[in-house]
Amino acid sequence: MIDFRDRVAVVTGAGSGIGAATAHLLSAAGADVVVVDIDACAAERTADDLPGRAIAVTADVSREEDVDRYLEAAVEAFGAVHLHHLNAGIAGPADPLPDLDVADFDRVLAVNLRGPFLGLRAAFRQYRRQDTGGAVVITASIASLRGSHDLLPYQISKHGLLGAVRGGAMYGGPIGVRVNAVAPGLVPTGLASDDLLQRGRTVPQRRTGTPDEVANAVAYLLSDAASYVNGEVLAVDGGAASV
Ligand code: NAD
């Protein structure tokens, strides 16, 4: 049984989908949770629904000042931060490669790649201040693990996260910080289009996943049960990445 009592967790993009599911699981296991989302109402809704102590912070993870602010709010509310699920992300355009717009590309990279970089840096700064170890999980994607002809900015951003996980793990290992990723396959949330979800029928398990199934993997990686797992990218995709 995973136990997060006496742990403070930040979950970004926790207003809905996979982040909300993680926030619920961590809270049910005893963590104090900082619910971060760009959508203020969604963040409040998740925080209000959690069984344990929680605060909601409205922040855009791609903005340095917002990331600093959510961390300050977490420390002010709960005194420390031990766990980070850097999860916020956007799908971006599905245009064919020749038609892609640079501004759209930049926005996807800002949220999906600069956001986790800023979150990772803020986490490590906080661990240094606290003089504690900790654990970070980044939400990558099946799009980090294999190629696809569509959602190219998304795919590029999600491949970039593998560098954040591996570099973070190497940096964090000697100081007691583990950095891992989950790589979800198709999960019905606000982010996944109906077209995309149709492909769920072709994965080995012949269905899409659920936010709770991804959250279970996140909770495992954040927990002491994964105390010797570092720099790992755990696919939660019904076997899709291996075919
Ligand atoms: P979702 O749209 O339900 O949740 C994403 C949340 O992030 C939303 O609440 C949104 O408001 C928030 N958000 C968006 N931009 C933000 C920003 N700049 N700052 C702060 N919050 C922001 O979708 P989801 O599927 O739960 O997505 C969560 C993560 O899972 C994303 O990183 C996504 O890429 C990844 N993922 C999803 C799938 C899938 O099939 N749903 C598959 C692989 C990976």
Side-chain angles (χ1 to χ4, degrees):
M1 169 66 185
I2 288 176
D3 184 355
F4 288 116
R5 277 175 296 179
D6 302 323
R7 292 281 184 276
V8 179
V10 167
V11 183
T12 70
S16 64
I18 291 165
T22 304
H24 277 277
L25 190 50
L26 300 184
S27 179
D32 298 326
V33 179
V34 181
V35 174
V36 177
D37 206 285
I38 199 169
D39 179 336
C41 296
E44 289 288 349
R45 201 167 44 239
T46 298
D48 286 349
D49 284 349
L50 296 185
R53 295 200 299 171
I55 60 167
V57 182
T58 309
D60 178 345
V61 296
S62 70
R63 292 167 58 94
E64 190 173 10
E65 58 272 34
D66 284 22
V67 172
D68 291 343
R69 190 165 45 73
Y70 79 58
L71 207 70
E72 279 163 24
V75 173
E76 194 181 316
F78 300 123
V81 185
H82 310 97
L83 312 172
H84 295 256
H85 181 199
L86 305 176
N87 166 76
I90 56 176
D95 302 325
L97 178 54
D99 302 328
L100 281 168
D101 186 79
V102 173
D104 289 342
F105 175 84
D106 287 346
R107 181 65 190 150
V108 174
L109 271 282
V111 177
N112 291 5
L113 196 52
R114 190 168 69 210
F117 159 70
L118 291 171
L120 192 62
R121 189 183 65 166
F124 272 89
R125 286 179 172 173
Q126 183 58 25
Y127 293 140
R128 187 167 60 189
R129 276 194 290 272
Q130 291 171 191
D131 201 16
T132 66
V136 180
V137 172
I138 297 175
T139 303
S141 169
I142 189 173
S144 308
L145 302 175
R146 66 178 201 186
S148 158
H149 62 281
D150 56 8
L151 294 178
L152 201 68
Y154 181 81
Q155 193 179 144
I156 292 169
S157 70
K158 292 292 182 179
H159 268 75
L161 290 175
L162 301 183
V165 171
R166 290 170 181 149
M170 292 199 72
Y171 188 79
I175 57 172
V177 181
R178 296 181 298 104
V179 181
N180 292 290
V182 287
L186 296 166
V187 182
T189 64
L191 180 136
S193 68
D194 288 343
D195 269 2
L196 210 56
L197 293 170
Q198 294 303 321
R199 297 183 202 167
R201 288 191 301 237
T202 65
V203 308
Q205 284 187 235
R206 298 287 185 267
R207 65 171 177 88
T208 56
T210 67
D212 285 342
E213 287 175 314
V214 182
N216 281 330
V218 175
Y220 161 68
L221 290 170
L222 288 176
S223 77
D224 292 345
S227 53
Y228 201 51
V229 181
N230 194 21
E232 181 61 33
V233 181
L234 179 53
V236 186
D237 63 359
S242 37
V243 291

